[in-house]
Amino acid sequence: MGTAIDNVLNDRMASKNVAIGLMLLSQVAVGTLGNFSLLYHHLVLSCSESTLRSTDVIFRHLMIANLLVILTRGIPQTMTAFGWKYFFSDFGCKLILDIQRVGKSISIVITCLLSIFQNITISPKNSCWKDLKRKAPRYINFSISLCWILYMVVNSIFPLYVLGKWSTENISNIRDHGYCSHMGHDKITDSLYAALIVFPEVVFSMLMIWSSGSMILILYRHKQRVQHIHSIKVSSRTSPESRATQRIIVLVCTFVTFHTLSSLLHLYIALYSNPIQWVVNINDLISLCFHTVSPFVLQSHESTISSLSRLCVTCIRNIKFPDIRRNM
């Protein structure tokens, strides 16, 4: 009787893991295609146009950071859900977690930089940002490069505390990711992580919220001014700059929503040694949502479809089909 019950429970657990694996796999597929499509779209623009907008440069780095997170976290989590366990070596375990942190941190910084830059761009000429309007585009590349270097250096500290599964048999309090394990609740590590990673993320999130609120206020004042000038006969079409600003505001709202949910779930998982499995699964899904959705938020519907169409046509052209006539 007990064996039959155990078999039923194991079958249910296996079916749940397969369902989670399929959802993770769909996220990885859609996120990779979406980010790669937008990256390809902007690379084509940079080759065809002599002048490149600063936002296009920011978009590139955001897509690269998103791809790093999706590939280094989504794929291992998907493989773990389908039953593969601890397939990384000690060095691979350290490297994969390091890349995850760098990609996540850079995506937060880039989203913050994008919202602040757009806020400066649409600000009125008599605002306090008037001097930065001319200077800001010149410092975009330097700022992004500095962020990459700083976060690669900062995140290189934490692999020193990361251990492979096979080297942690006699050590208690291990955080198990399924594909990798690391030592948790070390006071020095937690303090460094809070000071160098968590605190800056909170600051960047607050800056994003402030910048989005400021952009909403600017757009509202601009709309009121236009209505006052043109009275009732106002065109329902918005300018490209306003549409771009609205997409960036939606992007920031999307980030804040998913990042807040993921942070709360991650805090619960960190506080309990044996967290509920479905909470862990939901956290795995939510942690990839922003990186999956963001390219579709940033791109308009038409440009997304056209980029995907060009990408698919290119892939089809590169496929070499066998000559059927030779086999007849």
Side-chain angles (χ1 to χ4, degrees), residues 1-17:
M1 184 67 179
T3 304
I5 294 175
D6 291 339
N7 290 334
V8 172
L9 293 175
N10 290 332
D11 291 339
R12 288 182 179 178
M13 184 65 67
S15 62
K16 288 181 181 178
N17 290 337

Side-chain angles (χ1 to χ4, degrees), residues 47-220:
C47 294
S48 60
E49 297 181 4
S50 56
T51 57
L52 191 64
R53 295 179 301 175
S54 299
T55 51
D56 292 333
V57 177
I58 299 175
F59 288 162
R60 283 190 200 172
H61 288 273
L62 180 60
M63 296 309 106
I64 292 171
N66 286 342
L67 285 170
L68 286 179
V69 175
I70 290 172
L71 296 177
T72 59
R73 183 166 186 169
I75 292 178
Q77 286 176 341
T78 303
M79 295 174 68
T80 301
F82 283 123
W84 288 289
K85 297 284 186 178
Y86 314 117
F87 42 82
F88 283 117
S89 64
D90 185 61
F91 174 77
C93 182
K94 295 175 183 179
L95 181 63
I96 205 75
L97 292 177
D98 190 18
I99 296 173
Q100 282 181 26
R101 294 189 187 100
V102 171
K104 179 187 174 185
S105 300
I106 290 296
S107 67
I108 294 172
V109 175
I110 294 295
T111 307
C112 180
L113 181 63
L114 180 63
S115 63
I116 292 175
F117 178 79
Q118 190 67 18
N119 189 11
I120 295 172
T121 302
I122 67 171
S123 61
K125 294 181 179 179
N126 58 352
S127 68
C128 58
W129 301 108
K130 59 183 179 181
D131 294 331
L132 283 175
K133 268 194 169 186
R134 298 186 304 271
K135 298 178 182 179
R138 290 181 288 178
Y139 295 107
I140 290 295
N141 284 319
F142 173 77
S143 301
I144 295 175
S145 301
L146 183 63
C147 289
W148 277 104
I149 293 171
L150 285 176
Y151 272 102
M152 282 191 289
V153 171
V154 168
N155 283 280
S156 65
I157 297 172
F158 298 103
L160 299 174
Y161 300 93
V162 178
L163 303 172
K165 179 68 177 179
W166 46 88
S167 61
T168 60
E169 294 177 358
N170 298 324
I171 299 176
S172 59
N173 214 357
I174 300 302
R175 293 298 174 187
D176 191 356
H177 296 279
Y179 56 88
C180 189
S181 307
H182 72 91
M183 184 166 42
H185 292 301
D186 179 81
K187 291 183 179 180
I188 298 176
T189 309
D190 289 346
S191 300
L192 285 172
Y193 189 82
L196 299 176
I197 303 296
V198 177
F199 179 72
E201 286 183 2
V202 174
V203 173
F204 289 133
S205 299
M206 296 302 294
L207 285 173
M208 275 187 268
I209 295 172
W210 166 80
S211 180
S212 298
S214 179
M215 284 190 287
I216 291 171
L217 185 60
I218 291 172
L219 291 177
Y220 176 75

